[in-house]
Amino acid sequence: MSDAYTLIAFGGAIVALVLLIAKFKVHPVATLFVIVTSLGLLLGLGGEKTLKLVTEGFGSTMSSVGLLIIFGCVLGKMLELSGAALRITEEALRWFSGRKIPWAIALASAVVGIPLIADTVVLMLIPVVSAIAMRSGISMMRLGPVLYIGAYVMTSLLPPGPGPLAASALLGVDLGPAMLYGALVGIPGIIAATLYLLTIKTYVAPKAEYVDHLPAAVPAGRGAGPGTGTGGTGDADGASGTGEAASAGGTTVTRETTGTGSAADRLPSLRLSLVPIFIPIVLIMLDSYVVDMVGEKSALGGALSFLGAPLMALFIGCLTALPLFGRDWRRKSTLNDLFEAGLKLAALPLALTGVGGALALIIRDTKVADGAADMIREMGLSPIIVPFLVAAAICTITGSNILGVMTAAAIMEPLMAGLGISALAVYLACGTGAQIMKHANSSGFWVTTTLSNLTVGQGIRSIGVASAISGVTGFAILYVLYATGLV
C-alpha cells in the first residue's frame, strides 16, 4: 500500500469526521467510531484486527484517564451546586470596582473555569453579571463575553477540565507541567481578549428578566449611545441562576437559592470555596516538582508522590468540597446524587477520549504517522504549528473546543516522534488552537449571546473575535517557549 494512498485515506477520514459532526449533526462518539473502523479497513488491517485495535485503544486510554475525568466532573458539579463558584465571583467583585469590574469578572471566570465547563459558568453567573451591568451601566456586549472567555480559555488548557485531562492522557503529559504551562499561555490570552472587549463601544442592556426585580439606577459610562441588543436569539432554560445580596464595589447583586437545597441559606466562605480548586493543583505540583528534590524513597517523598498522584489529588479535591455543603454533606443528595450527576457529566468526555485513543492506535499501527511527518517536514512547516492548526480547524468547524483539543491530541500523538516535538508542546498547541473560534455552530456561543441579550452579529464581533485573540495570543507565547527550548 503506497504512502500516497495512506495519506489520502487519512485526509479523507479527517474530512469525513468534520462533515459528519458539523454538517450532518451525527453524535461525535458515533462519528469517531465510524471513522476509526473505516480507516482501519481502508488501510488493509481487516475487520478482526481493526476491532481488536479499537478495543485495545479504548481500554488502554480508559485505564489511564477514566477515573480522572469522573473525579474532575464530580468536583466541578460540587463547586457549581454548593454556591462556591458564585462566592468566588462575589469576592472578586469586592476587590474591583468601577472600570475594573470587567477584570473582576474575568478573574472569577478564570478561577471557576478551571474545573467547570464554560457554558456552565455562564449559566450560573449571568444573573449576577446582568445585575452588575444594570447598576454600573457597562454594556453586556463587554461583560457577557468577558464572563465566557475567562472560563473558556481555562477549560481549553488546564486540567481537570475534561478536554485537557483527555489530551494530557492521550499525549502522556504529566498534569503538573500541563497546569503550570497551561496557565502560562492561557492567562495572557485572557488578558488580550479582555482588553479587546473593553474597546467595544456598543451599549447592550441586560435581559429584563434578570434586572426587572432590581431597584432602578442611572447607568454611568455606558459607552456609545443608549441602543440595546435585540435579544433575537431567544431565551435559554436553566439560567435562573443563584441568589443572595452581595455588595460588589458599589454594585448590588441579588442571589436567589440554587435550587439544590444544599446551599439555600447562605454561600460558603471564600476560603472553603477555593480549597477544592487549589488543593489538587498544589498536590499535583508538589508531586511533579518537589518529589525529585527530596527523593521518592524518603518518607516525605513517598507521601507526596501518593497524595500528588493526579487520581488521588482529584479525589482529595472532591473530599475537601464536602464542607461547602455545611451540615448537608452527610445527606444522600450530596454523597450519592452529586456523584451520579458528575458521572452523567463525564459520560461524553469518557466516550470521546476512549475512541480518540483507538484512533491514535490505528494511526500508529498503519504507519500513517510516518508519512504525515515526512510530508510536514518536506513542506517546511514548523512542527509546533501543525497541532495548533488541526485543533483550530476542528474547533472552528465543529464548534467544540473540547472535541478540538481531544481529537487533535489523538491525531498528533503518533506524529510526535517523527516531527521531533515534545508532548507538552503538542498539548499546549492543541489547547490554544482549540480556542479558535466561537461562532454560530457552538453551544457556548448561543448560551452567551442569548443570555447577554446580544444579536448574532454582536456575538461574532465580541465572542468570536475575542476567542480568536485568546488562542492566537496563547500560541504566540507558546511559540516563544518552543523556540527557546523551554517546552
Side-chain angles (χ1 to χ4, degrees):
M1 192 173 296
S2 69
D3 289 343
Y5 173 81
T6 300
L7 290 174
I8 290 171
F10 177 61
I14 300 304
V15 172
L17 171 74
V18 171
L19 286 176
L20 286 172
I21 295 174
K23 183 174 180 60
F24 298 104
K25 310 303 179 186
V26 181
H27 194 279
V29 175
T31 299
L32 275 171
F33 180 76
V34 170
I35 295 301
V36 169
T37 52
S38 299
L39 189 60
L41 294 174
L42 286 171
L43 296 178
L45 295 180
E48 183 177 351
K49 187 174 183 182
T50 295
L51 292 178
K52 181 180 179 182
L53 288 175
V54 170
T55 304
E56 287 179 2
F58 189 94
S60 62
T61 305
M62 284 297 95
S63 67
S64 62
V65 77
L67 283 174
L68 282 173
I69 291 177
I70 289 172
F71 289 153
C73 290
V74 170
L75 176 59
K77 205 67 179 175
M78 295 176 81
L79 292 170
E80 174 190 346
L81 297 181
S82 65
L86 185 61
R87 170 57 75 197
I88 293 169
T89 304
E90 290 182 346
E91 292 297 330
L93 288 166
R94 285 194 178 96
W95 302 338
F96 298 86
S97 61
R99 294 182 179 180
K100 298 177 182 177
I101 285 175
W103 294 104
I105 295 172
L107 172 63
S109 176
V111 173
V112 175
I114 295 174
L116 290 178
I117 296 172
D119 300 31
T120 301
V121 174
V122 173
L123 286 167
M124 287 171 53
L125 299 180
I126 199 67
V128 177
V129 170
S130 298
I132 292 168
M134 194 210 59
R135 300 299 299 175
S136 66
I138 301 175
S139 172
M140 284 300 295
M141 198 170 169
R142 293 180 178 182
L143 297 188
V146 165
L147 173 64
Y148 179 73
I149 285 294
Y152 177 65
V153 171
M154 287 305 192
T155 200
S156 299
L157 278 166
L158 262 70
L165 264 182
S168 62
L170 289 166
L171 297 168
V173 178
D174 290 338
L175 291 191
M179 290 176 172
L180 179 63
Y181 284 94
L184 188 61
V185 302
I187 292 173
I190 295 173
I191 293 172
T194 302
L195 286 172
Y196 163 73
L197 290 168
L198 292 180
T199 67
I200 294 176
K201 302 299 184 183
T202 304
Y203 179 76
V204 177
K207 289 177 75 72
E209 64 196 72
Y210 295 131
V211 297
D212 277 350
H213 62 288
L214 299 176
V218 178
R222 275 184 167 191
T228 62
T230 65
T233 52
D235 293 324
D237 294 330
S240 56
T242 57
E244 180 175 277
S247 173
T251 300
T252 301
V253 179
T254 300
R255 175 185 177 271
E256 301 166 358
T257 61
T258 59
T260 64
S262 59
D265 296 327
R266 60 183 180 84
L267 292 175
S269 69
L270 177 64
R271 182 173 59 183
L272 284 178
S273 300
L274 290 174
V275 164
I277 296 175
F278 288 106
I279 280 290
I281 295 174
V282 170
L283 290 174
I284 290 170
M285 291 293 184
L286 290 174
D287 178 42
S288 297
Y289 297 105
V290 176
V291 169
D292 289 341
M293 299 179 188
V294 300
E296 189 173 353
K297 294 185 178 180
S298 67
L300 177 59
L304 290 177
S305 182
F306 173 72
L307 296 175
L311 185 60
M312 196 66 198
L314 282 176
F315 182 69
I316 291 172
C318 293
L319 293 180
T320 58
L322 289 175
L324 296 172
F325 296 89
R327 296 178 181 177
D328 292 339
W329 76 266
R330 294 185 293 261
R331 294 186 178 181
K332 175 180 175 292
S333 60
T334 301
L335 295 176
N336 183 78
D337 297 353
L338 265 179
F339 204 91
E340 288 189 357
L343 284 173
K344 292 177 182 177
L345 187 64
L348 178 59
L350 282 172
L352 284 172
T353 305
V355 184
L359 174 62
L361 193 58
I362 291 283
I363 293 173
R364 189 183 304 113
D365 192 85
T366 54
K367 309 299 183 185
V368 170
D370 297 335
D374 290 340
M375 183 179 68
I376 291 168
R377 282 195 297 268
E378 290 172 2
M379 293 172 63
L381 289 175
S382 174
I384 194 68
I385 295 175
V386 178
F388 173 78
L389 293 178
V390 171
I394 293 172
C395 178
T396 300
I397 296 170
T398 66
S400 172
N401 62 315
I402 294 176
L403 185 63
V405 67
M406 287 194 295
T407 307
I411 293 170
M412 292 304 304
E413 189 274 334
L415 302 178
M416 289 190 303
L419 292 174
I421 186 172
S422 71
L424 178 59
V426 172
Y427 167 84
L428 295 171
C430 291
T432 52
Q435 297 171 38
I436 300 173
M437 69 174 275
K438 304 306 281 185
H439 57 93
N441 65 347
S442 163
S443 63
F445 176 88
W446 284 113
V447 166
T448 308
T449 54
T450 301
L451 301 186
S452 300
N453 205 25
L454 307 181
T455 65
V456 174
Q458 290 168 341
I460 295 291
R461 282 176 52 205
S462 56
I463 301 162
V465 175
S467 64
I469 289 173
S470 69
V472 170
T473 302
F475 182 72
I477 302 295
L478 168 60
Y479 197 88
V480 172
L481 295 174
Y482 174 75
T484 54
L486 295 177
V487 296

